[in-house]
Amino acid sequence: HRFIGGDSICILRQAFFLSCVSASISGDTGVIHVLESEADLEWPLSKGPNPPYMVLLESSLFTRSIMMKMKNESNRVAGVAVVVPNTSPPEFSPHTTCPNENTGVYSDNYGPNLAHCNTTVWNPRGNGLSYEEFDFPVFSLKEDNETEFIKQCYLDHNRAVNGSAPQYPLCAMQLFSHMHAVTNTPTCMRRNDINFSINPEMVCDPLGDYNVWGSIRPYNDTVFGHKENESVVIAAARLDSRAFFWEVSTGAEGSVSGFVTLLAAAQALREVTHEAPPTRNILFAFFQGETFDYIGSSRMVYDMENGKFVIDLDNIHSVLEIGQVAVHSGTNLFLHSDPVSRRNNTVNDENLVNNLQSSTAGLSFLLVEPNVSQPLPPSSLQRFLRAQPIPGIVLADHESAFNNRYYESFYDNAANLNLTYPSDLSPEEQLEFVTDTAKSLTDVATVVARALYKQAGGNESLVNNIKADPKIVTQMLYGFLVSSNNSWFQAVMAPELKNILKPSPPEYYVGVAMSSTPTRLVQYLLANLTGAATNLTQSQCQKPDELPNESRQMYSYLWVQGIVPPNSTERDSFCVRASVRLTKAVSPAFELGEYASKDYSTWTESRWKFIKARIFLVASRDLEMLTLGVGVAVLFTSLLVTYFISTKADVLFSSTREPASAAY
């Protein structure tokens, strides 16, 4: 046999809903069948004489139609292995057509005509595969030698010729991915709570991570609640993404384009806000877990409502959120706002709209509002509006349906943003090469920075001096979408975190491991781009409160590796002081013990011990039974022989005794 790699996980939520790809505790075994077309399904689902089958299919056949047919005949399907290719199809989205449908602001009580995507279907390409429960495991395989080995094994042993059944031995595959959780989140969490073992084995964990936030003026992180005479403009973006297979959730357009733009805008504001501080503070917020019913933003709002954050909702002046901004279908970007609050005159978005539209001077695109009245697209702003009316805009590259053809799929990668490099460049040269995508996002970041400065009451005469840096944007795009293990990311990270940098993009699935790679990268980048390098030593950086004019309550102090100077082998490490913090991004439902909550996210992830697969040759059923029969016969024969020998031992093993009176 031969072991191969792959991945699949099981995630749950409340209301008896399960999104899962699992396997039995001993693994699932089936005869390999390579699917060549949808019509070829007839063999594993009905005609094939050797069920169950382990179906291997190319990504072009990984469709809802094929997967649902196999789900309906799951007694003949032991599992599915999907080959993830290096090229992309015209479109593919395993998400739903209406992302985060039931946890945004629109409901039967607020804009009922706008709820459930009644007026605008945001993701029309969505097939919902990520939200289906499958009784068999579904693995991903890379398009490499392992996959070719499996295909060759199928061709050598399993392929039917002229409709006739192949001869034994057959090539089979066994998948191990047993998930401990069952049914739904309430059941799973209840089982966690009633475990009386000395070493309890948890069966599932809440999805969650940390939000990253920073502000141009620091806040004392031990003083929570309302700040008198304090007005704050929030600039937000989401950090996470997902795909059907969690290890390949790169979210290039879905999340990376937005948070890279916001990081670049934050850097563009550093000098001007020091030179001429605006009257209002600007708070940059990067939310984790937004894909799963707004985990990060709902937690920040909850903390603000309950006096557990450095400001409260009444301190918020307005919100600007950066959505998907990298895939342009024309020369415009769009300003989305909430029609319900504007119609009710509970908020006034006009000032923010005007500040954004007047910030495009000298740039090649315009910011326009949609031509029709429609709801906000899926966005963190919706969670703030659920709490109270707040002026807010979502900046996006789509007027109605997403331009993103690969929303929440493994194809939303660097290629989706046309992030390409000349073939003769080294990795270090690629890091510095300013792509067209980087130039485009630099312009968007410039507009965002200017608008935020004006919205915060900054000096109008300095606005046109605010410009984002294309070099920083291109370095971030390379690090987040091509290779995180590059010289710039190495320089801005702490020495103890250097091992999280890989020669590949980070994984943007939120997971259950707190402080994921994207969280740490954004934390350190935001600190380096907005903070200040100090002369503190490493020991002073770790204990700044022992020094005058330094305070860990007001700032974070991060010791970073720094660059390697020319003609040197040692890094020039230093301490960064920045008003950048991490706060929990775990749904309030788990703090409240409301595992069936309809107000907050209730997503959990099953625990598992290992995920692996192997292939081997399997003999015919008749030969297996013959082998079993011979083995049983040998067993009983050996038992009979043993019994006979035991009963006749005194005869078979007797020895002649010498007379007692024998003399020598």
Side-chain angles (χ1 to χ4, degrees):
H1 64 264
R2 181 167 176 172
F3 283 93
I4 58 177
D7 73 81
S8 63
I9 61 167
C10 183
I11 53 177
L12 303 84
R13 68 186 296 193
Q14 58 91 8
F16 300 96
F17 182 89
L18 179 71
S19 177
C20 187
V21 281
S22 186
S24 67
I25 194 168
S26 58
D28 287 331
T29 304
V31 173
I32 295 174
H33 179 78
V34 176
L35 199 67
E36 297 176 357
S37 67
E38 186 165 357
D40 194 31
L41 270 176
E42 187 179 14
W43 184 266
L45 299 187
S46 60
K47 288 179 61 177
N50 308 114
Y53 286 93
M54 194 67 67
V55 180
L56 178 71
L57 51 84
E58 300 291 339
S59 61
S60 60
L61 297 174
F62 185 52
T63 64
R64 182 174 182 85
S65 172
I66 289 177
M67 291 300 294
M68 296 307 290
K69 286 179 180 178
M70 288 193 285
K71 176 180 177 178
N72 294 334
E73 296 290 340
S74 58
N75 61 315
R76 290 183 60 90
V77 178
V80 173
V82 181
V83 181
V84 178
N86 298 320
T87 57
S88 303
E91 60 182 45
F92 179 76
S93 174
H95 209 281
T96 62
T97 58
C98 192
N100 290 1
E101 180 177 358
N102 297 309
T103 50
V105 67
Y106 303 107
S107 65
D108 293 339
N109 300 320
Y110 188 95
N113 59 312
L114 304 175
H116 311 296
C117 294
N118 285 333
T119 59
T120 303
V121 178
W122 295 108
N123 186 36
R125 302 173 182 88
N127 60 34
L129 272 180
S130 290
Y131 293 83
E132 288 290 342
E133 175 187 358
F134 295 99
D135 295 329
F136 46 79
V138 184
F139 268 48
S140 70
L141 298 174
K142 293 182 180 179
E143 199 171 33
D144 57 14
N145 293 337
E146 297 286 4
T147 302
E148 291 305 315
F149 182 85
I150 297 171
K151 291 179 179 178
Q152 191 60 49
C153 190
Y154 163 79
L155 293 174
D156 293 343
H157 299 278
N158 295 9
R159 190 168 192 175
V161 179
N162 298 324
S164 60
Q167 300 298 311
Y168 286 96
L170 298 177
C171 191
M173 180 185 290
Q174 187 175 27
L175 301 181
F176 299 90
S177 64
H178 178 64
M179 300 291 153
H180 295 179
V182 294
T183 311
N184 54 33
T185 289
T187 303
C188 172
M189 296 301 292
R190 188 166 62 247
R191 291 191 178 186
N192 283 349
D193 294 339
I194 62 175
N195 200 324
F196 296 111
S197 170
I198 296 176
N199 296 309
E201 183 161 330
M202 312 297 279
V203 294
C204 67
D205 300 284
L207 293 185
D209 202 310
Y210 285 99
N211 293 326
V212 182
W213 66 271
S215 53
I216 60 173
R217 288 196 295 272
Y219 289 112
N220 188 323
D221 75 339
T222 64
V223 180
F224 298 146
H226 184 71
K227 300 286 189 295
E228 291 295 333
N229 302 317
E230 180 75 355
S231 182
V232 182
V233 177
I234 292 182
R238 77 175 207 185
L239 283 180
D240 67 305
S241 182
R242 72 168 298 184
F244 191 92
F245 303 108
W246 62 277
E247 284 190 336
V248 284
S249 52
T250 48
E253 160 74 340
S255 57
V256 175
S257 67
F259 73 69
V260 163
T261 298
L262 186 54
L263 284 168
Q267 187 274 335
L269 285 168
R270 177 168 63 177
E271 297 301 326
V272 69
T273 53
H274 287 168
E275 177 186 343
T279 55
R280 300 184 184 93
N281 206 349
I282 302 175
L283 188 148
F284 306 101
F286 300 83
F287 296 121
Q288 269 284 14
E290 295 300 273
T291 304
F292 295 95
D293 295 334
Y294 307 118
I295 293 174
S297 56
S298 63
R299 180 56 184 258
M300 181 172 283
V301 171
Y302 172 83
D303 288 344
M304 288 181 177
E305 289 178 311
N306 291 275
K308 298 180 179 181
F309 194 68
V310 294
I311 60 172
D312 68 4
L313 293 170
D314 291 331
N315 289 126
I316 299 176
H317 173 268
S318 51
V319 177
L320 173 59
E321 180 171 352
I322 316 304
Q324 303 179 80
V325 291
V327 181
H328 296 247
S329 58
T331 58
N332 295 335
L333 289 178
F334 296 92
L335 307 176
H336 297 271
S337 58
D338 173 39
V340 178
S341 55
R342 294 184 74 167
R343 187 167 56 243
N344 296 341
N345 294 319
T346 53
V347 301
N348 181 8
D349 297 321
E350 291 302 321
N351 189 43
L352 181 52
V353 170
N354 292 335
N355 285 333
L356 282 159
Q357 291 179 331
S358 62
S359 297
T360 59
L363 302 177
S364 59
F365 61 89
L366 299 175
L367 302 181
V368 298
E369 296 183 87
N371 290 324
V372 297
S373 178
Q374 61 183 11
L376 284 167
S379 53
S380 306
L381 174 58
Q382 293 200 32
R383 293 301 304 194
F384 285 87
L385 291 175
R386 277 183 66 138
Q388 71 181 46
I390 296 173
I393 293 293
V394 177
L395 178 63
D397 57 25
H398 55 90
E399 183 174 14
S400 54
F402 297 155
N403 292 333
N404 190 356
R405 297 172 294 155
Y406 309 114
Y407 184 72
E408 306 293 24
S409 82
F410 43 74
Y411 299 114
D412 189 10
N413 51 28
N416 190 30
L417 301 191
N418 294 318
L419 202 64
T420 56
Y421 303 90
S423 58
D424 59 342
L425 296 186
S426 67
E428 194 64 25
E429 290 171 332
Q430 290 179 359
L431 175 67
E432 303 291 334
F433 182 79
V434 180
T435 63
D436 290 340
T437 303
K439 294 175 184 176
S440 173
L441 289 184
T442 300
D443 288 345
V444 179
T446 297
V447 170
V448 169
R450 290 174 178 177
L452 287 173
Y453 187 64
K454 288 192 282 189
Q455 187 73 2
N459 187 336
E460 290 278 349
S461 65
L462 300 176
V463 168
N464 288 337
N465 296 334
I466 300 173
K467 293 181 181 179
D469 187 343
K471 180 180 177 181
I472 287 176
V473 174
T474 206
Q475 287 176 325
M476 286 193 288
L477 288 174
Y478 182 86
F480 284 117
L481 293 175
V482 180
S483 172
S484 62
N485 191 16
N486 59 73
S487 60
W488 190 50
F489 275 22
Q490 291 168 6
V492 301
M493 294 299 290
E496 64 271 17
L497 294 175
K498 63 182 180 181
N499 291 333
I500 71 173
L501 303 177
K502 308 292 182 184
S504 59
E507 298 159 5
Y508 294 97
Y509 167 68
V510 60
V512 297
M514 306 296 277
S515 293
S516 64
T517 298
T519 297
R520 285 299 191 186
L521 288 174
V522 170
Q523 175 196 11
Y524 274 77
L525 281 170
L526 184 61
N528 279 271
L529 294 176
T530 62
T534 69
N535 294 321
L536 302 182
T537 64
Q538 186 171 6
S539 60
Q540 291 173 330
C541 193
Q542 294 169 348
K543 298 179 180 180
D545 289 329
E546 297 177 357
L547 301 173
N549 303 320
E550 303 290 352
S551 172
R552 192 176 288 276
Q553 294 179 350
M554 301 300 295
Y555 295 98
S556 293
Y557 294 81
L558 306 175
W559 185 259
V560 300
Q561 294 190 106
I563 63 171
V564 180
N567 303 320
S568 175
T569 58
E570 297 293 327
R571 288 188 175 274
D572 190 7
S573 301
F574 59 95
C575 182
V576 174
R577 181 204 302 118
S579 54
V580 174
R581 305 287 186 182
L582 300 180
T583 55
K584 270 190 177 182
V586 178
S587 172
F590 299 101
E591 182 167 310
L592 299 170
E594 297 176 358
Y595 304 139
S597 173
K598 294 183 179 180
D599 295 321
Y600 298 110
S601 170
T602 56
W603 286 98
T604 54
E605 180 187 295
S606 174
R607 289 198 179 188
W608 70 90
K609 292 189 180 298
F610 54 81
I611 295 176
K612 65 179 181 179
R614 62 173 182 161
I615 59 174
F616 52 90
L617 294 180
V618 60
S620 69
R621 187 73 173 174
D622 292 341
L623 181 58
E624 288 178 340
M625 295 307 296
L626 176 61
T627 304
L628 176 63
V630 171
V632 171
V634 170
L635 172 64
F636 280 108
T637 300
S638 64
L639 290 175
L640 287 173
V641 171
T642 303
Y643 175 75
F644 174 77
I645 293 174
S646 176
T647 57
K648 302 298 183 180
D650 55 338
V651 176
L652 296 174
F653 304 108
S654 63
S655 59
T656 304
R657 288 190 175 187
E658 296 182 357
S661 58
Y664 295 92

